[in-house]
Amino acid sequence: MARSSSGFVAGLTATAVATIGFLTYRAQADVPPGLGGRPGTSASPAAVVSKAPRDRRHPAALPAGSGTGERVVYSVDDDRVWLVGAGGRVENTFKVTPGTVDPAPGTYTVTSRSKAVTGTDGVPVEHVVRFAAVNGVVIGFSAAVDSTEQPDPDPALQTGGIRESRTDGDTMWMFATIGQKVVVIR
């Protein structure tokens, strides 16, 4: 019962956060010029990045509204990552396989890295790049050492590992050092 209750609560929380982000965006959009507070301020990052529009003709294209500057962009809905250089140019993009716990949309930074560990699902992983935690579950990118060990995440386990291929894991490892910005979008 506790698992289904916590999943229900997590679902309600995610819905509430998305609703607040949308309402914040709408409220800002409806404010007449000159009444929006301090000049040069913008909506919170979570409000902007949670509704990033997509180019339907180019699904691998970087979504508009996914932040600025050098960053990792992770789309929870598309299971895709973009590595964006300082000039705003996409240096790489690839598909990923998420764990069972998703980070909320917003802006994070890489907080820790590990060359090789065992994932929460018991699979040996390498090039672990951590950037968030949700209810005690650490969220980060990693690659399975044995690419044949890519089981679908067990929905009964709370896992925060966002799996990438070993090649993509190498690329992420070189790009996402401590302090690197990570933008999570829907």
Side-chain angles (χ1 to χ4, degrees):
M1 182 66 183
R3 282 193 181 133
S4 63
S5 295
S6 64
F8 178 73
V9 171
L12 285 176
T13 301
T15 302
V17 168
T19 301
I20 290 168
F22 175 75
L23 292 175
T24 301
Y25 172 77
R26 291 289 302 150
Q28 179 194 13
D30 294 336
V31 173
L35 296 179
R38 296 178 305 210
T41 61
S42 63
S44 70
V48 173
V49 298
S50 65
K51 297 291 181 184
R54 305 302 200 273
D55 181 342
R56 295 192 189 277
R57 292 174 294 165
H58 302 96
L62 179 66
S66 61
T68 60
E70 185 174 299
R71 65 200 182 279
V72 174
V73 176
Y74 170 51
S75 171
V76 174
D77 288 351
D78 297 330
D79 298 331
R80 178 168 288 280
V81 168
W82 293 265
L83 305 180
V84 183
R89 185 176 154 270
V90 174
E91 295 181 7
N92 204 330
T93 183
F94 46 87
K95 295 290 279 181
V96 294
T97 302
T100 59
V101 178
D102 289 329
T107 301
Y108 304 85
T109 57
V110 173
T111 55
S112 70
R113 298 171 9 126
S114 296
K115 183 71 174 159
V117 296
T118 300
T120 53
D121 56 359
V123 174
V125 294
E126 64 183 2
H127 296 148
V128 180
V129 175
R130 298 176 197 89
F131 64 91
V134 175
N135 297 325
V137 177
V138 177
I139 310 291
F141 303 103
S142 63
V145 173
D146 180 354
S147 61
T148 62
E149 277 193 72
Q150 291 285 4
D152 288 332
D154 180 351
L157 293 175
Q158 289 196 326
T159 59
I162 303 163
R163 294 290 164 78
E164 51 207 2
S165 72
R166 289 189 82 188
T167 300
D168 295 335
D170 290 343
T171 303
M172 176 70 78
W173 182 256
M174 297 302 293
F175 186 87
T177 56
I178 299 291
Q180 177 65 57
K181 182 167 47 172
V182 178
V183 178
V184 176
I185 61 175
R186 284 278 163 220

